[in-house]
Amino acid sequence: MTTTSHTAGAQPRQEDRPGQRTPTKAARGTHRTGATARAPWILLAPFLALFLLTFILPIIVALISSFTKVTRSGLFGEAGVTSGFAGFSNYAQALSDGSFVASIGRMLLFGVVQVPFMIVLCTVLALMLESGSAKWPGFFRAAYFLPYGVPGVIATILWSFLYVPGLSPLLDIAGVFGLSPDFLGPDTVLWSIANIVTWSYTGYNMLIIVAQLKSIPVELYEAAKVDGASTLRVATSIQLPLIRPALVLTTVFSIIGTLQLFAEAQVLKTVAPAIDSQYTPNLSAYTTAFAYNDYNVAAAQAVLIALAAFTLSFVFLKFTNRKSS
Amino acid sequence: MTTTANPKTTKDTTVRASRATKDRSAGKRRSSTIIVTAVLVVVATYFLVPVYWVVVAATKSTADLFGTNGFWFAPTFALWENISRVLSYDNGIFLQWFLNSVLYAGVGALVATYFAAAGGYALAKYEFRGRNLVFGTILGGVLVPGTATALPLFLLFSQMGIANTYWSVLLPSLVSPFGLFLCRIYSQATVDTSLMEAARLDGASELRIFHTIGLRVLTPALVTVFLFQLVGIWNNYFLPLVMLSDSNLYPITLGLNNWLSQVDRLPEFYELTTGGVLLSIIPLGIAMVVLQRFWRGGLTEGSVK
């Protein structure tokens, strides 16, 4: 509305005094083009400067140091430190470290089980909340989303209290039924972590799906109703195909998140002896850097983790694209 | 009418209509409501039990914490003693951590949102050379795991001499590639190019156009970006862990983990940790419940490409 009246208002004014208007307008025009050409860069400048500092430069630093070898001469390095090109030796060292490779394998196993479970769970919850059959949907939505506001560290502290023998009421209850589950044993602790991750992120992913469900036009539901489609049929034929983008988005974020797993394992380590200092790839890189002070191998590990996350997301996106076409 | 009604209300009218015409289908409806709600209650229990546990635990003395049932209150109510100990321990370091978290998350999210809005708006509303390259690079940044850059960032900041300072956590928090991505989509969809042209003819500078027209139209998206970034920084653990060694600069996540790691030697830290966890959950819990409706509104723009 305002736009049309503005331009319409500007038009006759120009025609009123063409002799006076044209030169100034032309001069202003060239001035404007310069300003318009500069404007996007001025607007982008703060973001780009920080992006360079905190994304591009660290990636370059990581790549360079992953290809660098630091040699200390003298018994304690007192004769100076020399660094040189290392080729792929840091990568070779990272990949020949059985614990690091095992940690990646562990995260793959974790992801294959936990990510589909969480995505199915949050999709079912979203469909149930949006089905109109549930009472108090607002309360449930808030209750499910609440854990997302609890930082991973604090969520882990919370759950660790529920896992530790002597403190855990869950173990007390299980004891009544003659069961004695060990949440922190070598075979079970991975799934105890999976439980914490599921608890933290299900509500968040559910909200992304709910948002997409809400964007489905009402007419589609009405048409389905006229055709006599059941609730299940509406879910499989209308809702699931239309929330595909949200499902892809949440799955990719979950894959990246799985490979980044750190806080949960690191915090649970204090109460679970089954978690070693190389339990997840990130924990491994952290240990290499700060316990062994080997920044170059740690950089190689960080690059490998990023590459794995990239590859997995890429493969998943390719896979879903092929399936849709 | 039909266009504004959302699926839920149409379903509600369906329920009412079917109840009026056919009793049997109304009965079926009612039983499905009971089943669905029952399932949702069970799931809600799962999500709320740990929070309930910490509320109960925070009211207990250390002896009761181990001696009584974890899901019910002990005879002695020690909540206020626990909280005052949390707040006074080590000259009120908990409050310091809390304020640090507020500073990192509040300032970080506010500035990050502004920068992301300016960048996203520029990429959406201007044609310039290198635009696709810039956008492609930033989009790649969305997929780079945050923890992959933390280690090299530490090496970089150490050389610059700003590791272990407020800046070392704050600077990386000011950048949100995902926020810029959302702002670009939203700018393309909502900022009116002819309105910008009109403002130009009126002699407004480009920056002024962004601040008066762009920011105003973008507000719903900005709320989403702000909340994302706020929660992201508040929950961040790896970056401050790598960067900070001075416990006065710790955010709350790092501080509470510091307390937890001492429970083996001193069991009284159990009480400090549970009390601290309770205090730290309250503000974010309230924020989540209140703000989830804004969150929902803006997210649609991001997922629908």
Side-chain angles (χ1 to χ4, degrees), chain A residues 3 133 144 195 218 260 266 282, chain B residues 5 33 40 46 147 195 202 237:
Chain A
T3 19
S133 311
Y144 300 167
N195 172 53
V218 188
Q260 288 199 75
Q266 203 237 10
N282 254 322
Chain B
T33 302
L40 291 177
Y46 165 70
T147 50
L195 196 60
D202 285 349
Y237 175 68

Side-chain angles (χ1 to χ4, degrees), chain A residues 44-55 57, chain B residues 175:
Chain A
L44 271 167
F47 184 94
L48 281 184
L50 284 163
F51 186 76
L52 275 179
L53 177 71
T54 60
F55 276 85
L57 267 180
Chain B
V175 194

Side-chain angles (χ1 to χ4, degrees), chain A residues 2-3 6-7 10 13 25 28 32 35-36 39-44 46-48 50-51 53-59 61-62 65 125 128-154 157-162 164 166-167 169-170 172-173 195 198-199 202-204 207-208 210-216 218-219 221-222 225 245-246 249 252-253 256 260 262-263 266-267 270 282 285-286 289-290 295 298 302 305-306 309-310 313, chain B residues 2-3 5-8 10-12 14 29 32-33 36-37 39-41 43-44 46-51 53-54 65-66 69-71 115-116 118-119 121-123 126 128-130 134 137-138 140-149 151-157 160 171-172 174-178 180 192 194-195 198 200-207 210 228 231 234-235 237-238 241-242 252-253 256-257 260-261 264 270 273-274 277 280-281 284-285 288-289 292 295-296 299-300 303-304:
Chain A
T2 26
T3 19
H6 258 286
T7 30
R13 247 193 292 148
K25 217 220 150 205
R28 245 175 64 182
R32 280 282 143 201
T36 321
W41 292 109
I42 295 171
L43 286 165
L44 271 167
F47 184 94
L48 281 184
L50 284 163
F51 186 76
L53 177 71
T54 60
F55 276 85
I56 307 292
L57 267 180
I59 291 171
V61 167
S65 54
L125 289 177
M128 282 167 90
L129 276 179
E130 287 298 299
S131 69
S133 311
K135 279 195 184 307
W136 322 294
F139 162 76
F140 289 120
R141 216 163 32 222
Y144 300 167
F145 189 54
L146 177 74
Y148 184 63
V150 179
V153 177
I154 294 178
I157 294 176
L158 269 181
W159 278 102
S160 73
F161 289 144
L162 297 175
V164 173
L167 202 55
L170 295 180
D172 294 344
I173 293 172
N195 172 53
T198 309
W199 184 79
T202 301
Y204 164 76
L207 270 198
I208 295 182
V210 165
Q212 186 118 50
L213 276 175
K214 284 200 183 296
S215 69
I216 296 177
V218 188
E219 291 75 22
Y221 290 107
E222 283 166 352
K225 204 183 75 195
L249 186 82
V252 168
F253 280 175
I256 298 175
Q260 288 199 75
F262 177 81
Q266 203 237 10
V267 174
T270 50
N282 254 322
Y286 177 79
F290 292 101
Y295 293 112
I305 296 165
F310 253 130
S313 323
Chain B
T2 29
T3 41
N6 63 21
K8 211 180 70 204
T10 21
K11 289 274 170 68
D12 284 346
T14 324
R29 262 289 176 195
S32 83
T33 302
V36 168
T37 309
V39 172
L40 291 177
V41 166
V43 179
Y46 165 70
F47 284 112
L48 294 177
V49 153
V51 179
W53 182 87
V54 81
L65 190 62
F66 289 92
N69 186 318
F71 284 145
F115 287 169
Y121 167 88
L123 286 172
Y126 293 93
F128 56 96
R129 201 187 297 178
V134 168
T137 314
I138 295 171
V142 177
L143 292 179
V144 173
T147 50
T149 53
L151 271 180
L153 205 54
F154 169 73
L155 300 179
L156 196 68
F157 281 2
M160 292 164 66
L171 279 178
L174 302 180
V175 194
S176 167
F178 187 60
L180 181 134
D192 193 344
S194 51
L195 196 60
R200 256 172 223 148
L201 285 175
D202 285 349
S205 73
E206 298 295 326
L207 280 180
F210 165 66
F228 256 117
V231 174
W234 188 277
N235 290 359
Y237 175 68
F238 194 65
L241 178 75
V242 168
I252 215 158
T253 46
L256 284 176
N257 187 44
L260 180 74
S261 61
D264 278 347
Y270 270 117
T273 315
T274 48
V277 166
S280 71
I281 284 180
L284 259 264
M288 285 301 105
V289 172
Q292 51 130 349
W295 193 286
R296 224 166 52 218
L299 262 175
T300 330
S303 44
V304 188

Side-chain angles (χ1 to χ4, degrees), chain B residues 48 95 138 216 219:
Chain B
L48 294 177
L95 218 56
I138 295 171
R216 191 166 306 160
T219 304

Side-chain angles (χ1 to χ4, degrees), chain A residues 162-164 168 170-171 181-185 188-192 268:
Chain A
L162 297 175
Y163 290 154
V164 173
S168 167
L170 295 180
L171 288 170
D182 180 8
F183 293 121
L184 302 172
T188 47
V189 75
L190 186 65
W191 310 116
S192 298
L268 214 53

Side-chain angles (χ1 to χ4, degrees), chain A residues 92-166:
Chain A
Q93 196 181 332
L95 288 174
S96 63
D97 178 355
S99 308
F100 178 69
V101 177
S103 72
I104 293 184
R106 193 176 289 126
M107 285 308 104
L108 288 180
L109 173 67
F110 181 99
V112 164
V113 176
Q114 192 267 338
V115 173
F117 177 80
M118 179 171 68
I119 299 296
V120 168
L121 177 65
C122 67
T123 309
V124 170
L125 289 177
L127 287 174
M128 282 167 90
L129 276 179
E130 287 298 299
S131 69
S133 311
K135 279 195 184 307
W136 322 294
F139 162 76
F140 289 120
R141 216 163 32 222
Y144 300 167
F145 189 54
L146 177 74
Y148 184 63
V150 179
V153 177
I154 294 178
T156 312
I157 294 176
L158 269 181
W159 278 102
S160 73
F161 289 144
L162 297 175
Y163 290 154
V164 173

Side-chain angles (χ1 to χ4, degrees), chain B:
Chain B
M1 243 301 266
T2 29
T3 41
T4 49
N6 63 21
K8 211 180 70 204
T9 47
T10 21
K11 289 274 170 68
D12 284 346
T13 41
T14 324
V15 176
R16 246 175 278 128
S18 59
R19 201 171 286 162
T21 48
K22 275 188 285 175
D23 257 340
R24 233 181 55 204
S25 118
K28 212 176 114 197
R29 262 289 176 195
R30 208 171 299 138
S31 67
S32 83
T33 302
I34 292 169
I35 293 167
V36 168
T37 309
V39 172
L40 291 177
V41 166
V42 171
V43 179
T45 314
Y46 165 70
F47 284 112
L48 294 177
V49 153
V51 179
Y52 169 74
W53 182 87
V54 81
V55 172
V56 172
T59 67
K60 291 179 179 177
S61 64
T62 309
D64 282 342
L65 190 62
F66 289 92
T68 58
N69 186 318
F71 284 145
W72 199 244
F73 298 92
T76 45
F77 189 77
L79 176 66
W80 309 122
E81 287 112 281
N82 287 335
I83 286 184
S84 75
R85 269 170 61 204
V86 168
L87 294 177
S88 61
Y89 183 80
D90 200 4
N91 296 323
I93 188 96
F94 181 82
L95 218 56
Q96 175 75 45
W97 292 338
F98 190 83
L99 291 177
N100 288 343
S101 271
V102 170
L103 174 83
Y104 293 133
V107 174
L110 204 65
V111 178
T113 307
Y114 176 69
F115 287 169
Y121 167 88
L123 286 172
K125 302 312 288 184
Y126 293 93
E127 292 277 351
F128 56 96
R129 201 187 297 178
R131 181 169 80 155
N132 289 334
L133 177 72
V134 168
F135 182 62
T137 314
I138 295 171
L139 203 59
V142 177
L143 292 179
V144 173
T147 50
T149 53
L151 271 180
L153 205 54
F154 169 73
L155 300 179
L156 196 68
F157 281 2
S158 304
Q159 279 172 1
M160 292 164 66
I162 56 168
N164 195 27
T165 64
Y166 277 114
W167 290 111
S168 61
V169 176
L170 204 50
L171 279 178
S173 307
L174 302 180
V175 194
S176 167
F178 187 60
L180 181 134
F181 174 69
L182 284 183
C183 286
R184 178 175 171 270
I185 292 172
Y186 206 78
S187 300
Q188 277 172 335
T190 57
V191 179
D192 193 344
T193 311
S194 51
L195 196 60
M196 291 169 62
E197 282 300 330
R200 256 172 223 148
L201 285 175
D202 285 349
S205 73
E206 298 295 326
L207 280 180
R208 204 181 132 80
I209 294 173
F210 165 66
H211 286 113
T212 52
I213 298 173
L215 280 186
R216 191 166 306 160
V217 177
L218 285 174
T219 304
L222 297 186
V223 174
T224 311
V225 173
F226 176 78
L227 290 176
F228 256 117
Q229 193 67 0
L230 185 81
V231 174
I233 304 170
W234 188 277
N235 290 359
N236 200 348
Y237 175 68
F238 194 65
L239 181 75
L241 178 75
V242 168
M243 290 290 176
L244 303 175
S245 52
D246 177 0
S247 66
N248 283 316
L249 302 177
Y250 280 5
I252 215 158
T253 46
L254 222 56
L256 284 176
N257 187 44
N258 189 10
W259 278 355
L260 180 74
S261 61
Q262 301 183 50
V263 296
D264 278 347
R265 279 172 289 138
L266 303 160
E268 69 184 67
F269 273 99
Y270 270 117
E271 274 324 305
L272 288 175
T273 315
T274 48
V277 166
L278 178 66
L279 286 182
S280 71
I281 284 180
I282 290 170
L284 259 264
I286 294 172
M288 285 301 105
V289 172
V290 173
L291 296 173
Q292 51 130 349
R293 61 188 70 246
F294 292 102
W295 193 286
R296 224 166 52 218
L299 262 175
T300 330
E301 311 305 325
S303 44
V304 188
K305 279 175 203 141

